[in-house]
Amino acid sequence: MKEINMTALEQLFQAKIEKDIKIEPKDWMPEAYRKTLIRQISQHAHSEIIGMLPEGNWITRAPNLRRKAVLLAKVQDEAGHGQYLYSAMETLGESRDKSMADLISGKAKYSSIFNYPTLSWADIGAVGWLVDGAAIMNQVALCRTSYGPYARAMVRICKEESFHQRQGFEIMCTLMKGSKEQREMAQDAMNRFWWPSLMMFGPSDADSTHSQQSIDWKVKRYTNDELRQSFINASVPQAELIGLTIPDKDLKWNEAKGGYDFGPIDWEEFRQVISGNGPCNAERIAARKQADDNGQWVREAASAFAEKRSAKKAS
Amino acid sequence: MSTKEWPLWEVFIRSKQGLSHKHVGSLHAPDAEMAVSNARDLYTRRSEGISIWVVESSQVFANDPADSDPLFEPSQTKIYRHPTFYEVPDGIEHM
């Protein structure tokens, strides 16, 4: 049994976890807990940052000013969410610059969903409704995660994201009330984003390497499969209400389990996308690097301005 | 040009008149003024605040969590510091 070798500090730590007492930055924590959190929070932060790109693609082409203002606000939120998460990560002693460098070098991972292209305006609807919907499902659960700064960032993010999913669903509703072409466009977006959205919850519990330990530490409060099931149960009636078809011939309500049964997920596709071979991996990293390079002179100017101002104050 | 990481600032926001500033998070900026303007962009996108404080994180001095017990435990036994410790006879409504 593993408890036998537990040190006093570890026992104290685990006791706090059992009692749902949050772990705060200066508290003692096992190195593996710290590492797990750094990995998870940084990947989460990177996903927010990269997540701006597929939607940013449509800001200049939004169909009207209202949609444009909304999309702009949403993308700004994603930038903010990335910043909250990098801050939470820093409380664990990880450097933000190093983490961002890992993203640009391709060393760090982020959510596989953002490696799919946004080909039509309907994709912006599908991303808001399904991708943000899946993210919210995951993030609401994380509001109760055991690490204080991560939980607090999640609370704030969830509050802000509640409009993200609604605006996406509103786009889908509008298209489904439109012309035949518009309805087809919405269905096409649904067909392309449904399965990748289900993959966002990560590998099946049986194949997930980090799951059990993360559950024991209450870093994660629900398993990947539990969250995926909740997301499907919530999304199917929404799709049906507006006349969209879920692209899964095996999808069927299962009265006994009180949820939908669904067809097999193509995990080979997931593996390919997560290991760099998705449709847009290279493009996303290149865009992030370009943004970083183009921002270099701004950061330099800000530093120079700060030095000048400080010298003036001193004199 | 300098490539070193900008200092970290802790951000405190007063949400409305009459309430105290509350810690909301942290951010990086080259100086205090720019930290305030970054905090405005990052933490007040939805009218969350009317006043911002920033403090360089390295300037915050905190107690060692290892000392928490000797620091904070003694007050737990002094329940007579709370009004609920005292018995008030029936018939007395406000005291």
Side-chain angles (χ1 to χ4, degrees), chain B residues 61-73:
Chain B
F61 187 83
N63 72 283
D64 183 345
D67 297 337
S68 289
D69 282 355
L71 282 176
F72 305 119
E73 211 159 53

Side-chain angles (χ1 to χ4, degrees), chain A residues 74-89:
Chain A
K74 179 177 189 300
V75 172
Q76 277 183 319
D77 273 353
E78 310 299 1
H81 298 171
Q83 301 300 331
Y84 306 157
L85 286 160
Y86 286 124
S87 290
M89 177 199 74

Side-chain angles (χ1 to χ4, degrees), chain A residues 4-20:
Chain A
I4 291 168
N5 292 323
M6 267 189 159
T7 64
L9 283 169
E10 267 181 297
Q11 279 168 2
L12 203 66
F13 171 83
Q14 199 58 41
K16 275 197 216 163
I17 299 276
E18 305 299 331
K19 282 192 274 183
D20 275 329

Side-chain angles (χ1 to χ4, degrees), chain B:
Chain B
M1 250 335 271
S2 80
T3 50
K4 73 173 185 350
E5 200 161 349
W6 288 339
L8 190 66
W9 303 79
E10 300 301 323
V11 180
F12 300 80
I13 305 262
R14 185 201 298 284
S15 58
K16 61 178 199 179
Q17 291 295 113
L19 296 180
S20 51
H21 288 74
K22 189 168 174 257
H23 184 245
V24 292
S26 58
L27 50 76
H28 288 272
D31 69 10
E33 282 91 339
M34 283 185 262
V36 167
S37 85
N38 288 354
R40 178 258 180 201
D41 291 345
L42 189 56
Y43 291 108
T44 66
R45 289 194 302 284
R46 286 174 175 77
S47 332
E48 291 95 333
I50 52 154
S51 166
I52 298 170
W53 286 353
V54 294
V55 178
E56 206 174 327
S57 309
S58 61
Q59 299 299 311
V60 175
F61 187 83
N63 72 283
D64 183 345
D67 297 337
S68 289
D69 282 355
L71 282 176
F72 305 119
E73 211 159 53
S75 73
Q76 285 174 14
T77 53
K78 296 174 178 60
I79 50 173
Y80 44 83
R81 284 177 174 162
H82 299 275
T84 46
F85 177 75
Y86 299 92
E87 269 180 42
V88 180
D90 289 342
I92 295 190
E93 280 183 19
H94 304 289
M95 181 180 276

Side-chain angles (χ1 to χ4, degrees), chain A residues 217-229:
Chain A
W217 279 331
K218 295 187 181 171
V219 169
K220 288 168 84 166
R221 305 300 304 241
Y222 298 97
T223 69
N224 296 351
D225 286 336
E226 286 167 345
L227 290 166
R228 186 165 17 244
Q229 184 70 56

